[in-house]
Amino acid sequence: MNEKQKLIRQMIEMQKKFIAKQRQSGISSQEYYLPGEDDELSGYGNEYTEMAARLVDLAHREQGTSR
Protein backbone atom coordinates (compact mmCIF):
# COMPACT_ATOMS: atom_id res chain seq x y z
CA MET A 1 0.00 0.00 0.00
CA ASN A 2 1.48 3.36 -0.97
CA GLU A 3 1.67 6.46 1.23
CA LYS A 4 -1.35 8.09 -0.41
CA GLN A 5 -3.54 5.05 0.27
CA LYS A 6 -2.34 4.89 3.88
CA LEU A 7 -3.16 8.55 4.43
CA ILE A 8 -6.63 8.12 2.96
CA ARG A 9 -7.32 5.11 5.22
CA GLN A 10 -6.09 6.97 8.30
CA MET A 11 -8.19 10.02 7.44
CA ILE A 12 -11.30 7.90 6.94
CA GLU A 13 -10.75 6.20 10.31
CA MET A 14 -10.31 9.60 11.96
CA GLN A 15 -13.54 10.82 10.35
CA LYS A 16 -15.44 7.73 11.52
CA LYS A 17 -14.31 8.28 15.13
CA PHE A 18 -15.14 11.98 14.93
CA ILE A 19 -18.62 11.35 13.50
CA ALA A 20 -19.32 8.66 16.12
CA LYS A 21 -18.37 11.05 18.94
CA GLN A 22 -20.41 13.84 17.38
CA ARG A 23 -23.48 11.63 17.06
CA GLN A 24 -23.11 10.26 20.56
CA SER A 25 -22.69 13.49 22.47
CA GLY A 26 -22.36 16.38 20.06
CA ILE A 27 -19.24 18.50 19.71
CA SER A 28 -19.05 22.18 20.49
CA SER A 29 -16.75 24.44 18.51
CA GLN A 30 -14.62 24.82 21.64
CA GLU A 31 -14.24 21.04 21.93
CA TYR A 32 -13.19 20.89 18.26
CA TYR A 33 -10.79 23.84 18.19
CA LEU A 34 -9.52 23.80 21.80
CA PRO A 35 -9.95 20.30 23.24
CA GLY A 36 -8.32 19.41 26.54
CA GLU A 37 -5.09 17.43 26.41
CA ASP A 38 -6.86 14.29 27.64
CA ASP A 39 -9.72 14.63 25.13
CA GLU A 40 -9.77 12.15 22.26
CA LEU A 41 -10.06 15.12 19.87
CA SER A 42 -6.80 16.60 21.15
CA GLY A 43 -4.73 17.36 18.06
CA TYR A 44 -7.43 16.08 15.70
CA GLY A 45 -7.86 19.26 13.67
CA ASN A 46 -4.15 19.88 13.22
CA GLU A 47 -3.32 16.27 12.46
CA TYR A 48 -6.14 15.96 9.94
CA THR A 49 -5.15 19.23 8.23
CA GLU A 50 -1.51 18.12 7.97
CA MET A 51 -2.55 14.76 6.51
CA ALA A 52 -4.84 16.45 3.97
CA ALA A 53 -2.03 18.81 2.89
CA ARG A 54 0.37 15.86 2.51
CA LEU A 55 -2.24 14.03 0.45
CA VAL A 56 -2.60 17.04 -1.88
CA ASP A 57 1.18 17.23 -2.26
CA LEU A 58 1.36 13.52 -3.14
CA ALA A 59 -1.44 13.87 -5.69
CA HIS A 60 0.31 16.83 -7.33
CA ARG A 61 3.60 14.93 -7.47
CA GLU A 62 1.80 11.94 -9.00
CA GLN A 63 0.30 14.18 -11.69
CA GLY A 64 3.47 16.20 -12.26
CA THR A 65 1.82 19.45 -11.18
CA SER A 66 2.28 21.85 -8.29
CA ARG A 67 0.03 23.99 -6.21
Side-chain angles (χ1 to χ4, degrees):
M1 181 180 326
N2 66 34
E3 184 179 1
K4 193 168 83 169
Q5 290 171 323
K6 287 179 186 177
L7 280 171
I8 291 168
R9 282 183 190 244
Q10 289 174 325
M11 291 171 74
I12 289 171
E13 286 304 312
M14 289 175 74
Q15 286 176 331
K16 286 179 181 178
K17 289 178 184 177
F18 178 84
I19 290 167
K21 179 176 172 107
Q22 184 180 35
R23 287 181 179 162
Q24 179 182 4
S25 60
I27 296 173
S28 70
S29 57
Q30 177 151 352
E31 287 175 297
Y32 180 80
Y33 291 105
L34 299 170
E37 289 183 26
D38 60 336
D39 192 294
E40 80 180 288
L41 290 179
S42 180
Y44 175 87
N46 290 336
E47 184 178 357
Y48 194 87
T49 299
E50 289 172 9
M51 293 172 81
R54 178 69 182 140
L55 187 59
V56 168
D57 291 341
L58 289 169
H60 275 291
R61 185 172 11 151
E62 191 177 272
Q63 295 300 314
T65 60
S66 62
R67 43 173 165 169

